């Protein structure tokens, strides 16, 4: 008899206040990036490099150059992304900072590369409608060409243009903020609403799994209930598992 472990996804809760939700999403998804960018000492050292100052100025010029671009709003979202040059130059700056902080917590270059790629992926999928890895369940829920979405992007762009001249760290914080806002707009906020599931809803199931004698169950199935497409090709005859 197969042992079954049920890992539950709890009922969706009412979303918290928008600003708090955006900040929470940033912290949950880009924890190391947000921790570093909120450290005044780290910010000062990061921004002291002339290359980072130049990168910040180039970003400002790029954002200003998006006014009236076409096709909007996708051309604006494209301009929010981390460019290959920014990804590389920031990675090098982080490598220098990490070398000067041996034995201390620092934002590592490899982590930055992962975060930069994740930021651009979120902006592509939920800001431009690019198909995600699992289109049937993770695609953009808003219509990228709709008037409402265009107004949302235009409003965010106007806010950035009206903001005081940012420091180079804004390259990091602005992109993560836009990514979190687009996740919220597309109702992809579970990372904020259901944190630490292994400590709460799934704690009993995980504890049970740790004490199982798994060699007694050579054909065990771990069942994870959820919502998704009914794809016939994903079903397998039980006989193929024996």
């Amino acid at each position: 008899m197969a042992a079954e472990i049920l890992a539950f996804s709890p009922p969706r809760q009412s979303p918290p206040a928008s600003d708090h939700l955006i900040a929470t999403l940033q912290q949950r998804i880009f924890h190391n990036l947000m921790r570093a960018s909120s450290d005044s000492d780290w910010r000062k050292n990061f921004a002291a490099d002339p290359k980072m100052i130049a990168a910040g100025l180039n970003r400002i010029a790029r954002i200003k150059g998006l006014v009236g671009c076409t096709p909007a709003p996708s051309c604006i979202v494209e301009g929010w992304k981390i460019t290959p040059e920014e990804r590389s130059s920031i990675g090098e700056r982080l490598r220098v900072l990490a070398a000067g902080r041996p034995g201390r917590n620092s934002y590592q270059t490899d982590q930055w590369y992962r975060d930069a790629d994740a930021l651009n992926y979120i902006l592509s999928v939920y800001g431009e409608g690019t198909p995600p890895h699992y289109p049937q369940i993770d695609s953009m829920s808003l219509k990228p060409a709709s008037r409402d979405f265009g107004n949302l992007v235009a409003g965010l762009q106007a806010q950035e243009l009206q903001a005081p001249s940012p420091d180079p760290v804004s390259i990091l914080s602005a992109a993560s903020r836009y990514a979190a806002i687009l996740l919220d707009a597309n109702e992809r906020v579970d990372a904020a609403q259901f944190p630490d599931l292994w400590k709460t809803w799934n704690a009993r199931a995980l504890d049970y799994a740790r004490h199982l004698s798994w060699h007694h169950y050579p054909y065990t199935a771990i069942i994870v209930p959820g919502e998704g497409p009914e794809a016939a090709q994903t079903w397998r005859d039980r006989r193929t598992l024996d």
Side-chain angles (χ1 to χ4, degrees), residues 32 35-36 39 41-42 97-98 100-108:
N32 292 323
R35 182 181 62 178
D39 183 322
D41 182 55
W42 185 91
L97 290 178
R101 295 164 62 98
R104 299 177 60 186
N105 292 330
S106 61
Y107 189 36
Q108 300 292 328

Side-chain angles (χ1 to χ4, degrees), residues 156-231:
L156 293 173
Q157 176 73 352
Q159 287 179 15
E160 174 141 344
L161 292 174
Q162 295 169 4
S165 296
D167 62 34
V169 180
S170 67
I171 299 175
L172 314 179
S173 57
S176 65
R177 179 172 175 269
Y178 291 140
I181 289 174
L182 292 180
L183 287 172
D184 179 26
N186 285 276
E187 299 183 344
R188 299 296 194 274
V189 295
D190 286 357
Q193 293 184 341
F194 307 126
D196 301 336
L197 286 177
W198 58 91
K199 297 180 181 178
T200 55
W201 290 81
N202 291 336
R204 290 180 63 187
L206 291 173
D207 182 66
Y208 182 67
R210 292 189 189 99
H211 296 90
L212 272 181
S213 296
W214 288 98
H215 64 278
H216 291 159
Y217 308 101
Y219 305 114
T220 298
I222 298 179
I223 302 174
V224 183
E227 182 178 353
E230 298 298 334

Side-chain angles (χ1 to χ4, degrees), residues 15-233:
S18 182
D19 286 347
H20 175 70
L21 176 60
I22 299 308
T24 302
L25 280 171
Q26 288 178 277
Q27 289 289 344
R28 293 288 177 187
I29 301 174
F30 305 107
H31 176 72
N32 292 323
L33 186 158
M34 300 310 298
R35 182 181 62 178
S37 60
S38 63
D39 183 322
S40 58
D41 182 55
W42 185 91
R43 291 176 65 97
K44 180 180 179 179
N45 290 328
F46 178 84
D49 182 58
K51 290 183 179 180
M52 294 301 94
I53 296 174
L57 293 174
N58 288 338
R59 177 179 174 81
I60 294 172
R62 185 170 80 246
I63 296 300
K64 290 181 177 179
L66 298 175
V67 176
C69 71
T70 57
S74 62
C75 62
I76 298 176
V77 176
E78 185 67 26
W80 292 346
K81 294 179 181 179
I82 304 297
T83 67
E85 293 76 16
E86 289 169 347
R87 184 181 186 275
S88 176
S89 62
I90 291 174
E92 183 56 36
R93 181 58 181 162
L94 293 176
R95 185 176 291 109
V96 172
L97 290 178
R101 295 164 62 98
R104 299 177 60 186
N105 292 330
S106 61
Y107 189 36
Q108 300 292 328
T109 299
D110 288 347
Q111 181 63 57
W112 158 246
Y113 289 152
R114 289 191 291 270
D115 285 344
D117 293 344
L119 284 167
N120 287 350
Y121 177 80
I122 292 173
L123 293 173
S124 291
V125 172
Y126 298 111
E128 298 175 299
T130 301
H133 297 309
Y134 303 99
Q136 292 176 291
I137 59 175
D138 289 333
S139 292
M140 184 177 182
S141 57
L142 300 176
K143 295 186 181 300
S146 69
R147 177 179 297 179
D148 287 344
F149 184 69
N151 289 339
L152 170 64
V153 172
L156 293 173
Q157 176 73 352
Q159 287 179 15
E160 174 141 344
L161 292 174
Q162 295 169 4
S165 296
D167 62 34
V169 180
S170 67
I171 299 175
L172 314 179
S173 57
S176 65
R177 179 172 175 269
Y178 291 140
I181 289 174
L182 292 180
L183 287 172
D184 179 26
N186 285 276
E187 299 183 344
R188 299 296 194 274
V189 295
D190 286 357
Q193 293 184 341
F194 307 126
D196 301 336
L197 286 177
W198 58 91
K199 297 180 181 178
T200 55
W201 290 81
N202 291 336
R204 290 180 63 187
L206 291 173
D207 182 66
Y208 182 67
R210 292 189 189 99
H211 296 90
L212 272 181
S213 296
W214 288 98
H215 64 278
H216 291 159
Y217 308 101
Y219 305 114
T220 298
I222 298 179
I223 302 174
V224 183
E227 182 178 353
E230 298 298 334
Q233 66 271 21

